[in-house]
Amino acid sequence: MKFATVAAAAFMATAAAQEPALFEELVESKSSFLRAGKADQTLVKNGMMDDNHCEELYIPAKQYKQFWSDQGYKYPTYTDGICPVPYTTYDSKDPDATYPEVTHVKRGVGSTAASITFENCGGGDFTFTAPTPTKGSTVTITGSGDLTGVTSGTYLIKADYGSISLVDKSESLADDMSVNIKVLLTDFGTLTATPPALPGTTDSKIEINMPVPNIGGTVTGTTQGMNQEGILVWCMKMTLSL
């Protein structure tokens, strides 16, 4: 599923303990920008500080032209988006000395580990599984179960990061799904889904390929399937811990 800026807050004793809270703070503090006009948005750029550290710059769009004209020479190799793997920890965050609304976030080398769990929320005997996810990759979620007698219908996929909606889309059971995920002008990749083949069988399968972003925090999601009579035939809740 490439995220933020900040109000000053004291850091915890260790980067590992603070990482999810810090990133969620960054995103939540800018959540209104996702629904605002372009002038209110925040641009994210990243670049290398040294072999072990990557920096993210969070620049309000209204200040971007002035900041980059004045300070851009300091960041000739910086590109759009957040830092890539293996720069997974959040080590510090500081306002820019000259442009205090611009935020500098320092990230270090750390674990790419993530975890994913599933909970059945009704509608049949579908079982969902996935391999262990890693940040900066795509995880394939497979659901399988009995769809005997299903000849048409719809399915829904939703995913949220805190109060931020990442995916909220429904499709016909006859159609694949593809949703590009962007937050704060950062591209996290494309979620794709292949629904069960119709007519359904005793071993029907749905496959969902979901980006695993290089962030801290939790992504929650749900998928549901309805048959031609509007009856729920699967329901799964997902928790992706980053």
Side-chain angles (χ1 to χ4, degrees):
M1 316 168 179
K2 283 176 189 172
F3 276 37
T5 282
V6 323
F11 270 67
M12 297 182 182
T14 67
Q18 77 188 84
E19 176 183 337
L22 172 59
F23 194 79
E24 287 176 327
E25 177 191 351
L26 296 179
V27 174
E28 292 296 335
S29 70
K30 289 298 181 184
S31 62
S32 61
F33 293 144
L34 298 176
R35 305 172 184 85
K38 184 176 181 180
D40 290 326
Q41 291 177 330
T42 297
L43 303 173
V44 185
K45 287 186 170 289
N46 80 87
M48 297 303 300
M49 302 177 73
D50 55 51
D51 289 345
N52 296 314
H53 297 93
C54 175
E55 180 181 46
E56 293 170 354
L57 295 177
Y58 295 91
I59 312 167
K62 62 185 179 182
Q63 284 196 326
Y64 178 79
K65 185 175 182 180
Q66 182 179 357
F67 174 80
W68 209 250
S69 175
D70 185 30
Q71 303 288 316
Y73 72 93
K74 298 179 181 178
Y75 314 103
T77 62
Y78 280 38
T79 58
D80 293 341
I82 66 171
C83 293
V85 169
Y87 305 99
T88 60
T89 65
Y90 290 86
D91 296 352
S92 65
K93 62 180 177 67
D94 298 287
D96 187 80
T98 306
Y99 296 85
E101 292 187 18
V102 174
T103 300
H104 298 255
V105 174
K106 180 180 179 180
R107 302 189 67 173
V109 175
S111 172
T112 61
S115 65
I116 190 168
T117 59
F118 303 104
E119 177 186 352
N120 190 303
C121 45
D125 64 350
F126 256 63
T127 300
F128 286 81
T129 60
T132 301
T134 58
K135 294 180 180 181
S137 67
T138 299
V139 63
T140 298
I141 301 168
T142 302
S144 59
D146 188 350
L147 291 184
T148 303
V150 176
T151 58
S152 63
T154 60
Y155 67 105
L156 165 73
I157 297 177
K158 297 181 67 175
D160 301 293
Y161 182 79
S163 66
I164 307 302
S165 175
L166 305 178
V167 179
D168 189 352
K169 189 172 184 180
S170 60
E171 287 283 6
S172 164
L173 281 175
D175 297 325
D176 292 346
M177 182 183 295
S178 180
V179 182
N180 184 247
I181 300 174
K182 277 193 173 184
V183 175
L184 295 178
L185 309 186
T186 299
D187 189 348
F188 281 85
T190 301
L191 179 144
T192 63
T194 303
L198 297 175
T201 68
T202 57
D203 188 28
S204 292
K205 297 184 185 297
I206 179 173
E207 184 175 283
I208 302 169
N209 296 297
M210 185 175 68
V212 183
N214 182 25
I215 59 173
T218 302
V219 174
T220 56
T222 303
T223 178
Q224 296 179 338
M226 311 281 283
N227 69 9
Q228 62 272 17
E229 298 173 349
I231 297 174
L232 192 67
V233 291
W234 79 73
C235 182
M236 177 274 293
K237 292 182 179 179
M238 173 213 73
T239 302
L240 175 64
S241 300
L242 301 164

